């Protein structure tokens, strides 16, 4: 039997890239993480460091803050993607210039070991291995057992050693302890 998608009640592991370079970037990233985790069918399981990164693609724009999340979800890939686009709208995303500045960008990178090639969604994300601002945060959160872990690890380490990628650790956040009452 094909096990591409989880059964009802089963949980898949997915990885999401976050980026912001307009407004209060740090607050927008934290608001996005909270929206994602508050969804009844998505639980944030790991949060990467927060990295400041030079803009790529269209370079005449302010620097980004980029992060990555590991999440557990009962949603199938397309519904997860649409939910992320809805969170972008809720956080004031307005699409103007292609590759231009944005309050928040939420990209679905990986969903278990699923491969999809559809108009609406391609998995794994087709350009993630070329983008240091995706690979470095993803390396913080990707599971040791994921089939792409070794590749993400070496590409991320190469980008950081290289130094040309313009990626610096901005801060580390302890998201769980910041958002939940202390267990006494
Ligand atoms: C040649 C042509 C080389 C295009 C690169 C790379 C285009 C990335 C778009 C490219 C090219 C993108 C972020 C960003 C964008 C981000 C940082 C994109 C879409 N998003 N730069 N540029 N972080 N640092 O999240 O990823 S625009
Ligand atoms: Mg993006
Ligand atoms: Mg996007």
């Amino acid at each position: 039997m094909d096990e591409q998608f989880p059964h009802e009640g089963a949980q898949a592991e997915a990885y999401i890239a976050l980026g912001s370079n307009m407004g209060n970037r740090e607050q927008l990233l934290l608001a996005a993480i909270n929206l994602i985790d508050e969804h009844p069918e998505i639980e944030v399981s790991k949060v990467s460091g927060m990295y400041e990164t030079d803009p790529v693609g269209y370079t005449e724009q302010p620097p980004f803050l980029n992060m990555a999340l590991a999440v557990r979800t009962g949603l199938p890939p397309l519904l997860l993607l649409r939910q992320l686009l809805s969170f972008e709208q809720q956080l004031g995303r307005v699409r103007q210039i292609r590759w231009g500045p944005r309050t928040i960008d939420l990209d679905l990178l990986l969903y278990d070991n699923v491969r999809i090639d559809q108009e609406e969604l391609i998995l794994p994300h087709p350009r993630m291995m070329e983008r240091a601002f995706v690979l470095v945060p993803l390396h913080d959160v990707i599971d040791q057992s994921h089939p792409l872990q070794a590749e993400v690890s070496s590409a991320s380490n190469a980008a950081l050693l290289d130094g040309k990628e313009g990626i610096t650790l901005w801060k580390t956040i302890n998201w769980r302890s910041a958002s939940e009452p202390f267990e006494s």
Side-chain angles (χ1 to χ4, degrees):
M1 181 160 133
D2 206 332
E3 296 285 353
Q4 277 255 86
F5 307 119
H7 304 107
E8 200 172 325
Q11 299 278 304
E13 181 151 63
Y15 296 93
I16 299 166
L18 296 81
S20 172
N21 75 337
M22 281 178 80
N24 187 330
R25 302 173 300 168
E26 181 177 342
Q27 189 182 298
L28 283 158
L29 291 174
L30 294 174
I33 299 169
N34 281 318
L35 274 179
I36 291 167
D37 191 61
E38 280 163 12
H39 189 286
E41 294 184 81
I42 316 173
E43 183 187 4
V44 173
S45 46
K46 280 190 188 166
V47 175
S48 77
M50 205 178 263
Y51 296 86
E52 189 166 54
T53 66
D54 293 345
V56 300
Y58 174 69
T59 56
E60 297 302 305
Q61 59 179 326
F64 282 77
L65 291 182
N66 284 110
M67 299 179 75
L69 305 176
V71 304
R72 306 288 301 174
T73 186
L75 297 176
L78 219 45
L79 292 187
L80 178 59
L81 173 72
R82 291 178 188 149
Q83 193 60 62
L84 295 177
L85 297 176
S86 160
F87 294 147
E88 287 182 349
Q89 297 306 304
Q90 288 176 58
L91 292 170
R93 173 89 182 252
V94 177
R95 290 183 184 264
Q96 291 163 322
I97 313 165
R98 189 184 186 209
W99 301 341
R102 63 281 307 267
T103 54
I104 194 78
D105 180 36
L106 301 174
D107 293 338
L108 181 55
L109 301 174
L110 299 168
Y111 184 101
D112 281 344
N113 198 19
V114 168
R115 291 181 179 275
I116 296 180
D117 194 343
Q118 294 181 5
E119 190 167 278
E120 195 177 348
L121 175 63
I122 304 173
L123 287 173
H125 189 292
R127 290 169 298 278
M128 59 177 265
M129 287 301 176
E130 301 147 29
R131 296 180 179 175
F133 67 79
V134 171
L135 291 167
V136 171
L138 179 59
H139 180 237
D140 287 349
V141 297
I142 194 168
D143 199 86
Q144 285 295 336
S145 68
H146 195 282
L148 291 177
Q149 197 277 340
E151 201 180 334
V152 168
S153 180
S154 60
S156 161
N157 287 324
L160 282 178
L161 277 172
D162 195 33
K164 281 181 291 190
E165 301 282 357
I167 297 179
T168 59
L169 183 61
W170 176 259
K171 62 168 62 177
T172 55
I173 60 168
N174 193 332
W175 173 77
R176 274 282 168 211
S177 71
S179 62
E180 282 184 355
F182 180 67
E183 294 251 10
S184 59

